[in-house]
Amino acid sequence: MVVIDMALAAGIVTRVEIDALLADRAGWSGRALARAAVTLSDHGSRSPQETRMRLIWLLDAGYLRPLCNPAVGDSSGTWIGRPDLLSTELSVVGEYDGAFHRGQARHRSDVRREDLFRRAGLEMFTIVGGDLVNVPLVVDRMKSAVLRAQESPRARSWTLKR
């Protein structure tokens, strides 16, 4: 999954090209698994950890396919940011914060962005390095964000930007 997502994101290959390759490999024992991986792939994923987080969202938590790195603005169209994962149906944003997010300036920016997402009616969860090996912990964090979003009286005041 990670390899497929990163290859799609980098423009090295397209889904059409992968499908054509798999069509030519009718007798290949891994073909069904590869087709399933292509179905789950997303060209918007920007890191292996984002891919892993999205797969936990889909396969372990059981939620519908999220958007990966969509441009999000507030109701007036002002830019908020590109969350790693966005469930438009549930108004939930997921972020993977790796080592890059540990610096003071980046951390300040992340906290500000989280505040803007919440003010716009999006509930947020954050996963950090090491969390992805603990799937129950990640699922719990995701489900807690979904519950907070469902219990919140805030109206949706965010929009997808083009």
Side-chain angles (χ1 to χ4, degrees):
M1 281 306 316
V2 167
V3 172
I4 292 171
D5 275 5
M6 297 304 98
L8 289 170
I12 294 169
V13 68
T14 66
R15 276 199 182 114
V16 171
E17 292 169 331
I18 295 171
D19 286 338
L21 173 71
L22 293 174
D24 289 344
R25 304 287 192 276
W28 185 40
S29 63
R31 185 172 167 218
L33 186 59
R35 282 192 185 279
V38 171
T39 301
L40 290 171
S41 68
D42 193 301
H43 70 281
S45 186
R46 294 191 174 163
S47 76
Q49 294 78 10
E50 288 179 20
T51 295
R52 292 178 181 108
M53 182 174 70
R54 186 185 79 251
L55 291 175
I56 293 171
W57 176 268
L58 288 167
L59 303 175
D60 297 294
Y63 296 119
L64 295 176
R65 180 184 286 266
L67 298 177
C68 293
N69 293 291
V72 176
D74 64 18
S75 58
S76 67
T78 303
W79 172 263
I80 297 175
R82 285 188 185 276
D84 296 337
L85 178 153
L86 168 65
S87 170
T88 58
E89 299 84 11
L90 299 171
S91 292
V92 171
V93 165
E95 288 286 304
Y96 177 83
D97 287 357
F100 175 70
H101 293 264
R102 292 186 194 136
Q104 182 180 13
R106 181 57 196 228
H107 183 66
R108 286 184 67 226
S109 173
D110 289 345
V111 169
R112 175 69 180 138
R113 200 165 71 123
E114 180 177 347
D115 181 53
L116 292 173
F117 281 136
R118 287 204 165 114
R119 287 174 188 250
L122 289 162
E123 192 55 55
M124 190 167 167
F125 68 88
T126 303
I127 306 302
V128 297
D131 285 349
L132 290 171
V133 298
N134 187 342
V135 173
L137 169 78
V138 174
V139 169
D140 182 62
R141 214 169 274 166
M142 291 171 168
K143 290 188 177 207
S144 291
V146 169
L147 285 173
R148 287 192 307 271
Q150 291 171 341
E151 293 170 352
S152 174
R154 291 178 293 200
R156 174 183 164 162
S157 62
W158 59 271
T159 185
L160 293 175
K161 296 181 66 71
R162 301 279 170 195

